[in-house]
Amino acid sequence: MKAAVYTRYGPPDVLQVTDVEKPVPKDGEVLIRVRAASVNPLDWRLMSGRPFVVRIFFGLRPRVTPGRDVAGRVEAVGRNATQFKPGDEVFGTCVGAIAEYVCAAELGLVNKPAGVTFEQAASVPVAAYTALQGLRDKGRIQAGQRVLINGAAGGVGMFAVQIAKSFGADVTGVCSTRNVEMVRSIGADRVIDYTREDFTKNEQHYDLMFDCIGNHSPSACRRVLNPNGICVMAGGPKQLRSILTHALKALVLSWFVSQKFVMFIARRSQKDLTMMNGLMTAGKVTPVIDKCYRLSEAAEALRHAETGHARGKVVIAVET
Ligand SMILES: NC(=O)c1ccc[n+]([C@@H]2O[C@H](COP(=O)([O-])OP(=O)(O)OC[C@H]3O[C@@H](n4cnc5c(N)ncnc54)[C@H](OP(=O)(O)O)[C@@H]3O)[C@@H](O)[C@H]2O)c1
């Protein structure tokens, strides 16, 4: 079978589509014939091998197939895997989705609703977990609250806008000029074009800020938060050192002010995927896909995602 593999760290050029052995499902796993996979910042960040500590975990001579988000058809089930059977259409998380076949723990999968395409389903898992768990669990979102989403046009942000609306919030999205209409079309009540206006300098205040970008200091973000407001920091700058500095500043600031700053890492949850199924089926969430690439174009897909200006999700459709 074919898979996208890198055997050295570097830019997306190091990714090659090559022949590898078809995997065999272990206990509690299923083998999926991949129909679509989507790209997350983690994929190109790990592939870059920076910071150097990444190489300690993945080895100095990596042999890695990227891709955490998958949608496809179950081809075989391993021992003790009881939730799915061959032929089921599923989506969820795994390791090495940018391939013709991948094995995934069934606990990270759910059935794909009939009205959702494989490409749409593959765009959901990591980005939607991040948006849902950030808004609901860390931000304690409530109906009627004023919520600001910084980075509203990206993979996580476009889910955050739609999920926040489904909770009944009043949503303001921040993006560049070319994405203003798209962010409005997915439900944002107001859109701030960051090329024309700095949201930290206007008079609006928010109960909850969901930050996918981390380009404003915590003290600047605090200025636009209500006294009991919460800033959920989902994403940050490209360099690890800048992320750590940003987190440290937020931690120190939160000792002295009434507002809260929360950083978190999204976790796999079958329950949350089921909730996303419900939102998609009810028409409350529709994934925005920037571009669909073929498996042979995997390097190009990661190159596009790495620009940090994808509109929604970047997807790789695997030919059957
Ligand atoms: N905490 C977690 O567990 C977790 C999980 C997944 C992802 N993340 C992190 O969350 C962040 C977002 O992920 P993602 O998948 O959404 O990334 P993404 O799809 O690559 O984000 C791209 C989007 O960012 C927007 N953007 C770029 N600069 C901006 C700015 N100055 N102001 C506002 N928007 C800006 C772009 O909009 P324009 O083109 O309009 O500029 C583009 O639509 C990343 O840092 C990622 O590492 C965290």
Side-chain angles (χ1 to χ4, degrees), residues 41 45 126 130 150-151 153-157 174-176 178-179 194 212-213 215 234-236 264-266 305 308-310 312:
R45 282 184 205 249
V126 170
T130 311
N150 188 28
V156 175
V174 181
C175 61
S176 66
R178 69 185 189 100
N179 289 322
Y194 69 76
C212 301
I213 308 296
N215 58 331
F264 78 108
I265 298 203
H309 290 285

Side-chain angles (χ1 to χ4, degrees), residues 206-226:
Y206 304 92
D207 302 297
L208 174 57
M209 175 178 164
F210 185 77
D211 191 0
C212 301
I213 308 296
N215 58 331
H216 293 282
S217 70
S219 52
C221 296
R222 181 191 167 235
R223 275 201 294 276
V224 296
L225 284 174
N226 284 328

Side-chain angles (χ1 to χ4, degrees), residues 39-42 44-45 126-127 129-131 133 149-158 174-180 182-183 192 194-195 199 210-216 233-238 243 263-267 290 304-314:
V39 179
N40 289 290
L42 185 70
W44 52 260
R45 282 184 205 249
V126 170
Y129 282 155
T130 311
Q133 293 168 16
I149 316 278
N150 188 28
V156 175
M158 62 84 185
V174 181
C175 61
S176 66
T177 316
R178 69 185 189 100
N179 289 322
V180 167
M182 184 279 277
V183 173
I192 296 176
Y194 69 76
T195 67
F199 73 86
F210 185 77
D211 191 0
C212 301
I213 308 296
N215 58 331
H216 293 282
M233 303 184 299
K238 275 193 178 175
I243 296 179
M263 260 193 139
F264 78 108
I265 298 203
R267 58 189 164 72
D290 180 331
H304 180 47
E306 194 192 21
T307 63
H309 290 285
R311 177 185 285 154
K313 292 288 298 180
V314 174

